[in-house]
Amino acid sequence: MGRPPSNSSGDDGNGRTETSVITRPRARTARPPLYKVLLLNDDYTPMEFVVHVLERFFGLSYSHAVEIMLTVHKKGVAVVGVFAYEIAETKVAQVMDFARRNQRALDAGMVALPDAGRVAMWNARPEDMVLPVARLHAIQPLRPLHDALCALGVATDTHAAPPYALAHVRAGRSRAATLGQVAEALAAVPPGAAVLIDGQKGDGIEGILAACRRVLAVGEPLSQGHGKLFAVVRPETLPQAVTDWAEAARSRCGPDGLIRRPGGFSADGPDRGSLLLADLLPRDLKGHVADLGAGAGTLAAAILASPGVTRLDLVEADALALDDARANVLDPRAAFLWADATRWRPGPVCDAVVCNPPFHSGRAADPGLGRAFIQSAAAALAPGGSFWMVANRHLPYEGSLGEVFGEVTRIADIGGFKVFRARKPVAAMRRAVDHGARRGVARTSRGRGR
Ligand SMILES: C[S@@+](CC[C@H](N)C(=O)[O-])C[C@H]1O[C@@H](n2cnc3c(N)ncnc32)[C@H](O)[C@@H]1O
């Protein structure tokens, strides 16, 4: 007997029960078509660049990347991977863009890549490297960018280590600092070698070009979007103006007796916000204190004026600012830590944290950075520890402070700055210890404390 057409379970009319399963009609999902990404031999892209691109954009291991590069070299073509259309398209666009940026100076016939020797790039960024990657020495004093370059396998340092065969300076916002780096680059390459300089119009690249033209042989500039790229040639003897650029970029003494570097934070003297915070800091701070984003050490004297302070960590992402801090702060209680304060955690927790946080990432105002500093401060503090912070009046930090600290007091609101004192709740300690005890971690320390 046939099964009733759409019966589910129940009587089959003969007193017997029969069970059948109703299934929902399966939605037909078509698989997206997949596309092969092919790499073709062009006879002039250096092999190490191909390997770098395969590692960076296709996530291949070094040995796999070398294998594909050799296949391309021998057979003229190799399959790099198989992807859905959008992913394949994005990867190809990324590689083309990267190759174009790296090749532009070479393609433009601006400079000839010397056969041997390292290529230096001042202010190198992960997204903008000059060829050849294997010979590149990236100079990047900012810790987060430095770490990103290292993660890409680029040889990176905070300071130059000449000699170089070719140099590239990525201009920053400070004219004095950029010209100082051009002077450093010229001194780091042999006579006749090129120094490439590129930068944005908004950062004053036109003025740098004009200054170079006055004293050096300058090639035809290449305009690119809002920027310019040009090459200068290192003469046999460096002109006096270049020596002056180097001199003008050195750290100099401000009205408060501390040295600061042109291009660094508040280069001409102490920031008014820092002075206000220094004034309001109590003189009975105790134990282990950290200054997050310590710069050239402006706040150190006020912190170390408390005799009860046993250690001061100056945590700063800019290695050049930290060089100045080392020269400014000679107290043996000071330790100089080149670190990203948003990720830094002290070994033993701190009794107090002091901070004038940065509020810019590059050119853009970024209160998110200050908020990340507030969170780091809270994580670094011992329960009951205190946090002291100054900020521009318009910056909205109250919410973030309230979220991570028990007690927040605005102790001053003067001249466009506000100063906060906050305390990490002691209850947080109990919660943390209880939590640790549940995980079997804090039992011994609890026992010892009694
Ligand atoms: C507003 S300035 C204050 C400098 C110094 N404390 C003072 O009062 O003069 C902020 C400092 O934070 C540093 N900074 C920016 N981002 C950082 C980060 N992620 N980690 C550590 N320091 C950072 C900057 O280089 C700068 O020196």
Side-chain angles (χ1 to χ4, degrees):
M1 197 176 97
R3 191 176 289 179
S6 63
N7 202 359
S8 53
S9 79
D11 197 318
D12 67 355
N14 294 319
R16 290 171 303 196
T17 55
E18 190 176 318
T19 305
S20 64
V21 177
I22 295 178
T23 52
R24 201 182 290 174
R26 199 190 280 170
R28 283 177 171 246
T29 48
R31 246 193 212 184
L34 297 177
Y35 292 79
K36 287 179 184 167
V37 172
L38 304 177
L39 198 63
L40 306 176
N41 192 11
D42 63 6
D43 283 330
Y44 61 80
T45 302
M47 293 188 195
E48 73 265 21
F49 184 75
V50 175
V51 171
H52 181 76
V53 160
L54 292 172
E55 287 180 284
R56 179 170 175 169
F57 294 102
F58 294 91
L60 302 186
S61 68
Y62 178 74
S63 55
H64 193 180
V66 169
E67 199 182 300
I68 291 187
M69 181 273 293
L70 290 174
T71 308
V72 175
H73 188 62
K74 284 185 209 142
K75 300 192 175 163
V77 61
V79 177
V80 179
V82 180
F83 305 95
Y85 183 78
E86 284 76 14
I87 296 176
E89 192 187 32
T90 306
K91 286 194 182 289
V92 169
Q94 281 174 334
V95 172
M96 298 303 287
D97 183 50
F98 181 67
R100 229 177 275 128
R101 273 186 286 134
N102 279 281
Q103 280 291 134
R104 66 191 177 211
L106 303 175
D107 285 350
M110 227 177 229
V111 292
L113 183 64
D115 292 337
R118 292 177 308 150
V119 177
M121 185 169 192
W122 270 258
N123 307 317
R125 299 177 74 92
E127 71 278 13
D128 193 14
M129 288 185 285
V130 75
L131 272 179
V133 173
R135 283 162 60 189
L136 179 65
H137 186 221
I139 303 160
Q140 179 47 264
L142 297 181
R143 189 69 200 251
L145 292 173
H146 179 281
D147 289 355
L149 285 160
C150 290
L152 290 171
V154 179
T156 310
D157 270 308
T158 51
H159 298 75
Y164 300 112
L166 182 72
H168 187 145
V169 175
R170 190 185 215 279
R173 296 173 70 185
S174 155
R175 174 185 164 88
T178 297
L179 287 176
Q181 287 166 350
V182 171
E184 209 183 339
L186 283 165
V189 297
V195 173
L196 287 162
I197 304 163
D198 82 325
Q200 299 299 303
K201 286 187 182 141
D203 287 340
I205 190 66
E206 301 282 5
I208 302 291
L209 174 60
C212 289
R213 275 192 171 135
R214 280 195 283 276
V215 293
L216 295 162
V218 179
E220 192 53 37
L222 188 70
S223 290
Q224 35 178 26
H226 295 292
K228 271 211 156 73
L229 169 72
F230 58 94
V232 298
V233 179
R234 150 86 213 242
E236 190 70 41
T237 310
L238 289 176
Q240 180 59 39
V242 172
T243 315
D244 295 344
W245 294 345
E247 194 48 45
R250 282 193 221 298
S251 300
R252 65 198 58 230
C253 199
D256 57 350
L258 300 187
I259 61 160
R260 293 182 185 81
R261 181 182 49 93
F265 173 71
S266 194
D268 298 327
D271 172 57
R272 285 187 302 118
S274 306
L275 288 178
L276 179 62
L277 176 58
D279 248 13
L280 293 169
L281 281 179
R283 294 297 181 256
D284 61 353
L285 291 171
K286 286 191 179 53
H288 181 188
V289 182
D291 176 359
L292 298 188
T298 303
L299 296 168
I303 299 166
L304 292 165
S306 287
V309 170
T310 52
R311 176 186 166 116
L312 169 62
D313 288 337
L314 290 99
V315 182
E316 170 58 49
D318 181 353
L320 305 183
L322 215 49
D323 288 346
D324 289 343
R326 279 193 195 90
N328 288 330
V329 186
L330 302 175
D331 191 305
R333 293 173 289 170
F336 303 89
L337 308 179
W338 181 50
D340 178 351
T342 64
R343 308 171 70 148
W344 176 77
R345 298 291 178 268
V349 278
C350 297
D351 299 292
V353 173
V354 175
C355 180
N356 178 357
F359 54 92
H360 278 97
S361 292
R363 299 173 69 80
D366 179 9
L369 198 50
R371 287 192 203 108
F373 269 57
I374 291 170
Q375 275 160 9
S376 252
L381 272 172
S386 60
F387 179 50
W388 304 81
M389 181 180 109
V390 64
N392 284 39
R393 192 164 196 278
H394 66 276
L395 292 170
Y397 291 139
E398 284 78 356
S400 313
L401 285 165
E403 271 165 30
V404 288
F405 290 102
E407 170 201 313
V408 180
T409 313
R410 186 191 291 208
I411 56 172
D413 190 341
I414 307 170
F417 295 98
K418 49 192 177 184
V419 177
F420 296 100
R421 183 190 59 215
R423 198 167 290 282
K424 184 155 170 177
V426 177
M429 173 170 69
R430 251 172 237 133
R431 274 204 302 277
V433 171
D434 291 347
H435 178 66
R438 275 203 299 282
R439 296 167 56 205
V441 176
R443 263 181 224 125
T444 47
S445 54
R446 252 184 165 187
R448 248 187 250 133
R450 278 183 183 155

